[in-house]
Amino acid sequence: MKRIAFIIMVSQLLLATAARAGDVVVIGNAASPPLTKEQVADLYLGKSQGMKLIDQPAAAPIKAAFYQEVSGHDLSQVKATWSRLIFTGKATPPKELPDSAAVKKAVAADPKTIGYIERSAVDGSVKVILDLK
Amino acid sequence: MRKVIAVGALVSALAQVPTHAADLGSLLTNVDFSLTGYGTAGTVVTSTDSAVFIRGNEASGATKSFAENVDSNLGVQATARFNSWLAMTVQAEDSRDALTGVVPWAYVKLDPLDNLSFKLGRVEMPIFAISDSLDVGYANVWLRPPQEVYALSNLKELNGVEFSYSLPLAGTHLTLTGYAGDTVIWTQRYGQMNGNDTRGGELKWDTEWVTLRAGWAQAHVDGNILIENIPVGPIPTPLGPVTAYVPYNYYVEDVYSFEGVGALVDHDNIIAQAEWVKRYSRNYPGTVNATGWYVLAGYRFGAVAPYVSYARTDKYHGADYTAAGTLSDDQSTTAVGVRWDAFKSADIKLQAEHVNPQGSSGVSFAEVSSPLGLTPATPSGSVNVFSVTVDFIF
């Protein structure tokens, strides 16, 4: 009985995570081409450059969901990866903005900028370039 | 972690100068300035008082008495990004290393294309799979890099130019790095020499979870090395007889080479690393030539990642080898450790090692008391080493 309760609890936890991850979309300017999950992962883990990246604060649940969904890495792994890149000057880390509204504003203003927000926060000012369903 | 300071307001005065300064002004008003840092605080204790346990070229280390200097360091980095193709980075470190490493990085970076970059100034050469972030404890799984491999390179930072070209290849990345310039060669036993006309390169292939790399470096070495301080005297003086020490120097000229291959794996929760390196000399093979390798395996259970590693170095015992003159000697280490991501931007690591210098001074041991400079020393038998560190970034 206890075991069944445990399994239910774990599966609920997994479902909760999945549901949250399913709500994340990567956005770009109206002129931005669509990107694949691999391209977004490479950009946000510093493996490729060429876009200005916007990040969300660590306290926002969407941040952990986004990195988990695109790269399978948790935030401490992401942090360790970036500490390798930052302290060698190989790449410039994503710029952190306080919330999804600020991310949208930055992305709308610059065709070279991408970010991620909740699906519910999408409006006409930005374009969904990758849906993390 | 990253403090972005609006430099715009500060330099807008410059932009007000209307004539020639217009371009400079627009360059400076968009400067993205960031100040970041890293550090490690740790302590080490060993099972012997017969030799001190050191890391790299440290001037002192651990015995049965705890030593904090072995792994502890603190680094601060300032980066100014002017636009998409121009940035400046300066890093200063309060280092374990007595002589060098005070400014490991100071360069201007140009990115003429998305995949191509040039660094001009002082850079760390990619001698190993993990050369550039070696001092950033937080960036790595291990508590300290296996000395059987990482203590073998005697090349310090390069003052010169480095280029890096990254080629996307079916979802993977192939990166070619080349560099040229001057450096210094620093050895525990002989001190510092010039490393002129230093050049090298690295070919690296990255997939989502595997990195394979091969690297090579060569330097033309020359300089007067200190062989020993010869006692002269006693010389009579008004204050009584005094023994003087006269340094006995010897001019050395050589071609020093270093090469290595490595593989890094980070897949799901599995971490694996392996490297093999070779150090060799044209004129002094018995003093310089050595190989080293290690394997490391770990597993991430959420925030806790235990790991085990085995490392070994073999010295070339050729015709001109002497135990008293070699740069390093045989040694193997078996280590178990754990990294615990206990805090938001800090981890705690524990490591226990069994170090076997096989009756030689190995690569990790120096004399307990050496008033005339640090000298390798042979501990009595194998040595157990226990270490704890906290790594942080800010």
Side-chain angles (χ1 to χ4, degrees):
Chain A
M1 196 61 205
K2 260 187 187 163
R3 181 178 288 176
I4 291 167
F6 177 70
I7 290 169
I8 290 169
M9 198 180 81
V10 168
S11 47
Q12 276 176 339
L13 269 173
L14 288 173
L15 281 173
T17 314
R20 194 181 290 155
D23 288 339
V24 184
V25 293
V26 180
I27 54 165
N29 189 276
S32 303
L35 293 177
T36 65
K37 196 160 109 174
E38 289 70 31
Q39 285 173 317
V40 171
D42 278 357
L43 286 164
Y44 273 89
L45 293 178
K47 285 184 184 170
S48 64
Q49 276 86 50
M51 296 297 258
K52 283 188 215 160
L53 310 174
I54 306 292
D55 219 339
Q56 297 256 9
I62 189 173
K63 183 168 185 170
F66 167 74
Y67 280 101
Q68 188 66 46
E69 190 63 24
V70 292
S71 67
H73 289 187
D74 64 32
L75 287 185
S76 64
Q77 277 174 273
V78 172
K79 211 158 203 172
T81 300
W82 272 106
S83 68
R84 265 196 291 278
L85 299 166
I86 293 167
F87 295 115
T88 57
K90 275 195 184 132
T92 309
K95 189 172 189 162
E96 207 170 280
L97 291 180
D99 53 35
S100 292
V103 174
K104 269 192 293 186
K105 208 173 147 195
V107 168
D110 181 359
K112 284 288 248 182
T113 299
I114 62 168
Y116 58 89
I117 57 173
E118 298 84 7
R119 186 196 314 280
S120 55
V122 174
D123 61 28
S125 69
V126 293
K127 180 171 137 188
V128 174
I129 55 171
L130 174 66
D131 195 340
L132 296 170
K133 276 180 209 160
Chain B
M1 187 170 78
R2 185 161 166 270
K3 218 174 279 173
V4 178
I5 298 168
V7 180
L10 247 165
V11 295
S12 62
L14 272 173
Q16 302 304 315
V17 181
T19 52
H20 309 296
D23 285 348
L24 181 68
S26 76
L27 197 66
L28 290 178
T29 42
N30 294 319
V31 174
D32 204 354
F33 185 76
S34 63
L35 196 63
T36 51
Y38 60 87
T40 295
T43 187
V44 180
V45 67
T46 78
S47 60
T48 187
D49 277 333
S50 58
V52 293
F53 177 82
I54 55 166
R55 167 173 170 163
N57 290 310
E58 281 167 344
S60 65
T63 53
K64 282 183 181 173
S65 308
F66 285 91
E68 280 70 50
N69 72 301
V70 179
D71 298 301
S72 302
N73 68 351
L74 184 66
V76 178
Q77 175 174 300
T79 298
R81 176 159 281 286
F82 297 95
N83 52 38
S84 62
W85 55 268
L86 181 65
M88 263 176 74
T89 297
V90 177
Q91 194 182 101
E93 184 182 315
D94 182 8
S95 174
R96 299 170 295 272
D97 198 321
L99 184 79
T100 57
V102 177
V103 179
W105 303 90
Y107 62 81
V108 172
K109 185 166 176 256
L110 302 167
D111 301 87
L113 302 168
D114 281 352
N115 300 329
L116 179 67
S117 69
F118 291 93
K119 288 177 184 166
L120 312 171
R122 174 174 289 189
V123 296
E124 294 266 7
M125 290 177 267
I127 305 264
F128 301 104
I130 299 172
S131 288
D132 43 16
S133 58
L134 206 51
D135 292 339
V136 185
Y138 188 83
N140 299 303
V141 178
W142 54 41
L143 186 139
R144 95 169 60 77
Q147 296 296 288
E148 286 80 357
V149 169
Y150 281 80
L152 290 191
S153 169
N154 305 100
L155 296 168
K156 291 297 164 192
E157 300 81 14
L158 181 84
N159 294 318
V161 57
E162 180 190 285
F163 81 89
S164 190
Y165 180 71
S166 179
L167 183 74
L169 203 73
T172 69
H173 297 270
L174 193 64
T175 307
L176 178 68
T177 302
Y179 50 86
D182 291 333
T183 183
V184 296
I185 309 265
W186 167 250
T187 68
Q188 202 188 93
R189 198 184 286 266
Y190 297 116
Q192 185 175 324
M193 283 162 279
N194 302 317
N196 301 318
D197 192 17
T198 300
R199 61 201 124 133
E202 182 189 50
L203 187 64
K204 197 164 81 171
W205 182 62
D206 274 307
T207 76
E208 201 182 319
W209 53 274
V210 180
T211 300
L212 300 178
R213 59 86 60 181
W216 159 83
Q218 191 178 71
H220 287 85
V221 180
D222 73 349
N224 284 302
I225 58 168
L226 177 68
I227 298 292
E228 60 182 329
N229 287 285
I230 300 165
V232 177
I235 303 159
T237 71
L239 300 170
V242 169
T243 302
Y245 288 88
V246 178
Y248 171 48
N249 288 310
Y250 181 75
Y251 179 75
V252 171
E253 193 273 322
D254 194 15
V255 178
Y256 171 103
S257 304
F258 203 89
E259 57 194 43
V261 291
L264 309 174
V265 173
D266 192 333
H267 187 48
D268 286 339
N269 290 313
I270 298 163
I271 304 155
Q273 295 178 205
E275 280 183 78
W276 176 90
V277 297
K278 181 181 174 187
R279 178 181 69 188
Y280 55 103
S281 145
R282 190 176 66 188
N283 299 338
Y284 303 96
T287 303
V288 174
N289 291 19
T291 55
W293 59 273
Y294 75 87
V295 288
L296 177 146
Y299 193 87
R300 227 179 255 114
F301 297 95
V304 178
Y307 59 89
V308 292
S309 69
Y310 178 80
R312 182 182 172 96
T313 172
D314 291 293
K315 183 69 192 60
Y316 171 67
H317 288 190
D320 62 328
Y321 165 86
T322 60
T326 185
L327 283 190
S328 66
D329 220 317
D330 301 335
Q331 181 173 299
S332 65
T333 296
T334 307
V336 293
V338 63
R339 172 188 171 128
W340 175 33
D341 280 283
F343 309 101
K344 216 180 103 191
S345 295
D347 66 52
I348 298 172
K349 288 174 187 164
L350 299 168
Q351 185 166 298
E353 290 156 272
H354 181 73
V355 186
N356 182 0
Q358 298 167 26
S360 74
S361 54
V363 289
S364 302
F365 297 98
E367 276 181 12
V368 174
S369 167
S370 48
L372 297 173
L374 195 68
T375 313
T378 304
S380 47
S382 294
V383 179
N384 295 319
V385 182
F386 302 95
S387 317
V388 55
T389 59
V390 174
D391 303 309
F392 52 91
I393 52 172
F394 56 94

